[in-house]
Amino acid sequence: MRSLIRKKRNAVSLQPTVPMVTVSYGVLLIASVVSIVPFLYILSTSIKDTRSLFSYPPDWIPDQIFWGNYAKLFNETSFLNWTLNTFAIGLTITILKLIIDAMAAYSLAKLEFAGKRLITSTLLMAVAIPVAALIIPLFFIIRDMGLLNTYWALILPALANPLGIFLLRSFIVSLPDDLIHSARLDGSSELRIFTHMILPLISSGLVVHAIFTFMLQYTNFLWPLVAIQTESKQVLTVGISSLKSNFVIDWGLISAASLLATIPITLLFLALQRFFLAQSLSSALKG
Amino acid sequence: MVDAAIEFHSVSKVYGDFVAINNFDLTMTQREFLVLLGPSGCGKSTILKLLAGIEDPTSGEIFVNGTLVNYLLPRDRNVAMVFQNYALYPHMTVAQNIAYPLKSRGGTRNRVVIAEKTMQVAKLVEITDQLEKRPAALSGGQRQRAALARALVRDPEVFVMDEPLSNLDAQLRDSMRYHLMELHQRIGKATIYVTHDQHEAMTMADRIVVLNKGSVQQVGTPIEVFNSPINTFVAGFVGHPRMNLVPGKSLDNNSVQVGEFSLETNCKSNLKDTPVIVGLRPTDAKPEAGSNNISGKVTACEFTGTDTIVTISTPTLDGLRFRQIDPVSSVEGDTVTFSYSPEHVHVFNQDGQRIV
């Protein structure tokens, strides 16, 4: 009996204790504050006029809300153009990448062909090359193709990023081969297997890939800065940074633009976060 | 209709240096239920894949109802396969799974016809109440039935089944085995069934093909394979408990010497003083003294419910196992005697081949 009691005392309880809960909530609270304060600061700055912007001590909420920054953004800058460009380019890249990467991933994961290992390792090596090292050669290639200052200059290089192939390949590899064999016996062509079996079964992987790709394009700065010269053709990131002139930095205007630019991507993430959670949970369970 | 449903002519399959199937020859008749039996990795599933078109043979020819199918796509061979893990499409309902072959083969697009056919086979395998569920919501037995229904729906010429019962518990396996046999009787199509379970093979097969390391060891009815194993591999693999295979030597007068015992056999070989391997099935032993006796001290008893398997050792032999049918049961340390009829003493040469 005594040994039983001792065992019970030594056993690790899975029930969270009050101090554990307090500490974890404390850490979460600090993390939340650290993440949200800059956002709130941008919001506050965007609704202040220049005078109240530099008042000391700073007010989080100004006495009078100033909408001028937003009006100026839409009337005097190409903000709307930049937004449309960013969405058009981002969506085009995302759709094309999903199609290309899923097909490449399927063939690398499940089909047998000569040179498969060579192609896989070459693609894997390409993942390791840092973007900064590619900028100059890429610039010359795109210039020689006569595509500088066109949307294709942004779309084509993005399609060549092989990271998504490996993401989707890991989803497809985990599907049992017998499923594909069975579909073949049931009369499916390779295309039908791809569209009716593979794509529906890796839908969460496709969503994760789509979100990653779109977010990457949405926040891409360096390459659009190099490849696009016309202001009206520019994307949001470069456009917003161009609001900073040489002599005056209009913080209110930049804050308004930054805030508006954050909203769509936040909404997108909130709408699709369950796929992220499902994905991270399933990889956790797989061990 | 041709008499032979399936023919394999000298079919081999080689992966790099590994020979998975070595010169496989087989002819199967219409309506036959043929079981490929062998241990894991013996190549039995590969034979099914070659027939279904999932893999291509390295050499040899395969015919289905007289048509050479080597160069046909899997979809054009009219072979339906039931996989070990069922391979049900997880994103479709049972009804959609069953209807899938009808739709993807480009046959009828008529929804009513598809629904009728789906219902017809669902009734046949008794799964009509599960049609709207996804495979994940089904039990093992129900998944098995759904997989069967999907194989049945397109009315194939040949069925192949790759260990279809191995993922089920013992009780369900018994009832599904009965169900499969009943189904085979009703639809009467040539069926190749792969298993490593000799009990399944013995109870279901019209003929059994015993395979080892990619080569056919013996082809025969369950009775032939059990009563006259062609070599020591078949002798050891078929039958439970495993046949005792002990070294001995041949004597005059159709008898063999095993340890200190001389046993009369039906073997008509006139070899004398030749080393042989003697096979004695534990289940053929009579638990009383007769003309062909082996006695020894009991070292272990395993009670199985209906009988007891006793392990005995003699001054020169060790680990011989015999069956005692209750109520005659011994305990460890007892000295027991078993006798064998001459026809139950199997004799193999040094290479393991049966001496007739």
Side-chain angles (χ1 to χ4, degrees), chain A residues 176 178-189 192-193 196-197 200-201, chain B residues 52 54 75 79 81 83 85 87-92 100-101 104-105 150 154:
Chain A
D178 282 349
L179 221 52
I180 296 163
H181 295 157
S182 175
R184 250 175 230 153
L185 281 168
D186 283 343
S188 299
S189 61
R192 195 178 160 94
I193 292 174
H196 283 67
M197 294 288 146
L201 290 174
Chain B
I54 295 166
R75 55 191 287 183
V79 173
M81 185 160 175
F83 292 85
N85 56 11
L88 291 169
Y89 310 129
H91 55 301
M92 299 180 188
Y100 187 81
S104 75
R105 293 180 83 79
R150 192 181 59 187
R154 60 192 170 92

Side-chain angles (χ1 to χ4, degrees), chain A residues 68-199:
Chain A
N69 292 323
Y70 291 93
K72 189 175 172 190
L73 192 65
F74 286 104
N75 296 331
E76 294 175 30
T77 73
S78 308
F79 182 79
L80 215 54
N81 257 352
W82 302 334
T83 310
L84 288 176
N85 291 344
T86 307
F87 270 87
I89 293 166
L91 285 175
T92 310
I93 289 173
T94 306
I95 292 166
L96 289 177
K97 259 189 92 61
L98 282 184
I99 297 170
I100 295 169
D101 289 359
M103 287 164 99
Y106 174 54
S107 29
L108 291 180
K110 294 290 182 190
L111 302 181
E112 290 304 324
F113 54 90
K116 179 171 150 176
R117 289 182 71 161
L118 182 73
I119 293 173
T120 310
S121 44
T122 311
L123 286 176
L124 204 58
M125 275 191 286
V127 175
I129 303 172
V131 178
L134 293 173
I135 293 280
I136 293 170
L138 201 56
F139 177 80
F140 288 125
I141 295 169
I142 293 293
R143 186 197 61 187
D144 294 348
M145 289 171 80
L147 295 175
L148 271 187
N149 210 25
T150 67
Y151 294 145
W152 289 112
L154 300 183
I155 293 168
L156 290 180
L159 298 183
N161 181 353
L163 194 63
I165 297 176
F166 289 100
L167 174 80
L168 295 181
R169 183 178 167 271
S170 68
F171 278 86
I172 298 173
V173 161
S174 67
L175 300 176
D177 286 346
D178 282 349
L179 221 52
I180 296 163
H181 295 157
S182 175
R184 250 175 230 153
L185 281 168
D186 283 343
S188 299
S189 61
E190 288 303 315
L191 186 66
R192 195 178 160 94
I193 292 174
F194 179 70
T195 53
H196 283 67
M197 294 288 146
I198 305 294
L199 292 185

